[in-house]
Amino acid sequence: PDGRMSRYLNGLTVGSTVKFKTTKNKFSVPRTTQNIGMVAGGTGIAPMIQVIQTVLHENLPYTLHLLFSNVVEEDILLKEKLDEWANQFPEKIKVHYTLTNPQQSSWSGLTGRVDKQKIEKHLPPPTDSTLILVCGPIVMTNAMDVLLH
Protein backbone atom coordinates (compact mmCIF):
# COMPACT_ATOMS: atom_id res chain seq x y z
CA PRO A 1 0.00 0.00 0.00
CA ASP A 2 2.98 2.36 0.40
CA GLY A 3 4.52 1.89 -3.03
CA ARG A 4 4.06 4.52 -5.73
CA MET A 5 2.30 2.10 -8.08
CA SER A 6 0.07 0.71 -5.32
CA ARG A 7 -1.07 4.22 -4.33
CA TYR A 8 -1.74 5.12 -7.96
CA LEU A 9 -3.76 1.98 -8.68
CA ASN A 10 -5.65 2.24 -5.40
CA GLY A 11 -6.74 5.77 -6.37
CA LEU A 12 -8.38 4.64 -9.61
CA THR A 13 -12.08 4.03 -9.92
CA VAL A 14 -13.45 0.67 -11.02
CA GLY A 15 -13.50 0.52 -14.81
CA SER A 16 -10.55 2.87 -15.29
CA THR A 17 -8.10 2.01 -18.04
CA VAL A 18 -4.39 1.71 -17.34
CA LYS A 19 -1.76 1.40 -20.05
CA PHE A 20 1.30 -0.76 -19.31
CA LYS A 21 4.52 -1.07 -21.27
CA THR A 22 7.20 -3.70 -21.06
CA THR A 23 10.82 -2.83 -20.69
CA LYS A 24 13.02 -2.83 -23.76
CA ASN A 25 16.16 -3.29 -21.71
CA LYS A 26 17.96 -6.58 -21.74
CA PHE A 27 18.96 -8.20 -18.51
CA SER A 28 22.31 -9.94 -18.41
CA VAL A 29 23.83 -12.12 -15.75
CA PRO A 30 27.61 -12.22 -15.21
CA ARG A 31 29.20 -15.47 -16.40
CA THR A 32 30.38 -16.38 -12.91
CA THR A 33 26.86 -16.34 -11.45
CA GLN A 34 25.55 -19.56 -9.97
CA ASN A 35 23.06 -18.19 -7.42
CA ILE A 36 20.54 -15.41 -7.83
CA GLY A 37 19.11 -13.98 -4.63
CA MET A 38 15.98 -11.88 -4.96
CA VAL A 39 14.37 -9.55 -2.42
CA ALA A 40 10.92 -8.41 -3.48
CA GLY A 41 8.34 -6.30 -1.71
CA GLY A 42 4.72 -6.16 -2.87
CA THR A 43 4.43 -5.41 -6.58
CA GLY A 44 8.22 -5.56 -6.77
CA ILE A 45 7.66 -9.24 -7.48
CA ALA A 46 6.80 -8.42 -11.12
CA PRO A 47 10.35 -8.24 -12.54
CA MET A 48 11.39 -11.16 -10.35
CA ILE A 49 8.67 -13.30 -11.95
CA GLN A 50 10.20 -12.61 -15.36
CA VAL A 51 13.62 -13.73 -14.12
CA ILE A 52 12.17 -16.84 -12.44
CA GLN A 53 10.17 -17.83 -15.53
CA THR A 54 13.19 -17.44 -17.78
CA VAL A 55 15.53 -19.41 -15.51
CA LEU A 56 13.04 -22.26 -14.96
CA HIS A 57 11.60 -22.57 -18.45
CA GLU A 58 14.93 -22.24 -20.25
CA ASN A 59 16.62 -24.49 -17.67
CA LEU A 60 19.39 -21.94 -17.05
CA PRO A 61 22.15 -23.04 -14.64
CA TYR A 62 21.18 -20.83 -11.70
CA THR A 63 19.73 -21.52 -8.28
CA LEU A 64 17.12 -18.93 -7.27
CA HIS A 65 16.44 -17.74 -3.71
CA LEU A 66 13.40 -15.47 -3.29
CA LEU A 67 12.66 -13.52 -0.11
CA PHE A 68 9.23 -11.95 -0.70
CA SER A 69 7.86 -9.40 1.79
CA ASN A 70 4.24 -8.30 2.08
CA VAL A 71 2.06 -6.68 4.72
CA VAL A 72 -0.60 -9.42 5.02
CA GLU A 73 -1.01 -12.85 3.45
CA GLU A 74 -3.74 -11.64 1.08
CA ASP A 75 -1.19 -9.21 -0.45
CA ILE A 76 1.10 -11.99 -1.71
CA LEU A 77 0.85 -11.72 -5.48
CA LEU A 78 1.16 -14.96 -7.47
CA LYS A 79 1.65 -17.04 -4.32
CA GLU A 80 0.07 -20.11 -5.90
CA LYS A 81 2.38 -19.88 -8.92
CA LEU A 82 5.47 -19.31 -6.78
CA ASP A 83 4.54 -22.28 -4.58
CA GLU A 84 3.94 -24.40 -7.68
CA TRP A 85 7.39 -23.55 -9.05
CA ALA A 86 9.04 -24.21 -5.67
CA ASN A 87 7.38 -27.65 -5.57
CA GLN A 88 8.05 -28.44 -9.23
CA PHE A 89 11.69 -27.26 -9.20
CA PRO A 90 12.91 -27.70 -5.61
CA GLU A 91 16.55 -27.84 -6.69
CA LYS A 92 16.23 -24.61 -8.68
CA ILE A 93 14.11 -22.24 -6.55
CA LYS A 94 13.63 -21.60 -2.85
CA VAL A 95 10.78 -19.25 -1.88
CA HIS A 96 10.46 -17.58 1.53
CA TYR A 97 7.62 -15.23 2.46
CA THR A 98 7.66 -12.69 5.26
CA LEU A 99 4.71 -10.64 6.48
CA THR A 100 5.15 -7.34 8.27
CA ASN A 101 1.66 -7.45 9.81
CA PRO A 102 0.26 -11.00 9.75
CA GLN A 103 -3.45 -10.96 10.53
CA GLN A 104 -4.07 -14.67 10.94
CA SER A 105 -2.80 -16.90 13.69
CA SER A 106 -2.51 -19.63 11.06
CA TRP A 107 0.44 -17.86 9.36
CA SER A 108 3.49 -20.07 9.84
CA GLY A 109 5.93 -18.18 7.64
CA LEU A 110 8.44 -15.49 8.51
CA THR A 111 7.30 -12.25 10.12
CA GLY A 112 8.73 -8.76 10.18
CA ARG A 113 10.61 -6.69 7.65
CA VAL A 114 13.47 -8.09 5.63
CA ASP A 115 16.50 -7.72 7.90
CA LYS A 116 20.09 -8.90 8.17
CA GLN A 117 19.12 -12.20 9.81
CA LYS A 118 16.59 -13.09 7.09
CA ILE A 119 19.08 -12.17 4.37
CA GLU A 120 21.83 -14.29 5.92
CA LYS A 121 19.50 -17.27 6.44
CA HIS A 122 17.53 -17.26 3.17
CA LEU A 123 19.73 -15.69 0.50
CA PRO A 124 22.97 -17.06 -0.92
CA PRO A 125 26.14 -15.71 0.68
CA PRO A 126 27.91 -12.79 -1.01
CA THR A 127 30.47 -14.27 -3.40
CA ASP A 128 31.59 -13.70 -6.98
CA SER A 129 29.07 -16.36 -8.01
CA THR A 130 26.09 -14.59 -6.39
CA LEU A 131 23.86 -11.92 -7.92
CA ILE A 132 21.33 -10.11 -5.71
CA LEU A 133 18.26 -8.41 -7.19
CA VAL A 134 16.00 -6.04 -5.21
CA CYS A 135 12.66 -4.51 -6.18
CA GLY A 136 9.96 -3.04 -3.98
CA PRO A 137 8.88 0.08 -2.11
CA ILE A 138 11.55 2.77 -1.79
CA VAL A 139 11.82 2.30 2.00
CA MET A 140 12.65 -1.37 1.46
CA THR A 141 15.08 -0.83 -1.40
CA ASN A 142 16.92 1.86 0.60
CA ALA A 143 17.18 -0.52 3.56
CA MET A 144 18.48 -3.30 1.28
CA ASP A 145 21.05 -0.92 -0.17
CA VAL A 146 22.43 -0.45 3.35
CA LEU A 147 22.16 -4.13 4.39
CA LEU A 148 23.63 -5.60 1.22
CA HIS A 149 26.67 -3.32 0.96
Side-chain angles (χ1 to χ4, degrees):
D2 297 329
R4 185 182 306 170
M5 184 60 131
S6 297
R7 286 192 310 266
Y8 171 76
L9 292 173
N10 194 39
L12 296 174
T13 58
V14 174
S16 296
T17 302
V18 179
K19 196 173 192 178
F20 289 93
K21 294 187 333 185
T22 62
T23 180
K24 293 184 175 137
N25 297 331
K26 289 189 176 184
F27 178 75
S28 61
V29 176
R31 287 183 190 261
T32 59
T33 301
Q34 295 175 356
N35 294 293
I36 300 176
M38 297 175 280
V39 180
T43 57
I45 193 66
M48 305 303 181
I49 292 294
Q50 293 175 344
V51 172
I52 294 167
Q53 281 182 315
T54 301
V55 168
L56 297 179
H57 294 154
E58 294 184 18
N59 197 26
L60 298 178
Y62 310 118
T63 301
L64 305 169
H65 306 262
L66 173 63
L67 186 51
F68 188 13
S69 179
N70 288 274
V71 177
V72 295
E73 189 171 5
E74 294 76 25
D75 290 346
I76 302 175
L77 298 173
L78 297 167
K79 184 177 188 308
E80 294 79 20
K81 190 65 176 171
L82 291 165
D83 291 344
E84 177 185 319
W85 284 333
N87 289 325
Q88 187 177 356
F89 303 99
E91 71 291 346
K92 296 286 286 182
I93 182 169
K94 311 291 185 230
V95 178
H96 303 280
Y97 304 100
T98 185
L99 299 180
T100 57
N101 190 17
Q103 300 293 309
Q104 298 157 344
S105 60
S106 63
W107 176 253
S108 60
L110 303 171
T111 59
R113 296 186 183 276
V114 175
D115 56 22
K116 183 177 180 182
Q117 291 76 24
K118 288 179 185 73
I119 290 169
E120 289 174 349
K121 185 171 182 178
H122 300 292
L123 293 184
T127 67
D128 290 340
S129 65
T130 298
L131 176 67
I132 302 292
L133 307 173
V134 178
C135 190
I138 192 72
V139 172
M140 187 196 83
T141 58
N142 286 344
M144 294 306 101
D145 195 36
V146 171
L147 289 172
L148 294 169
H149 286 100

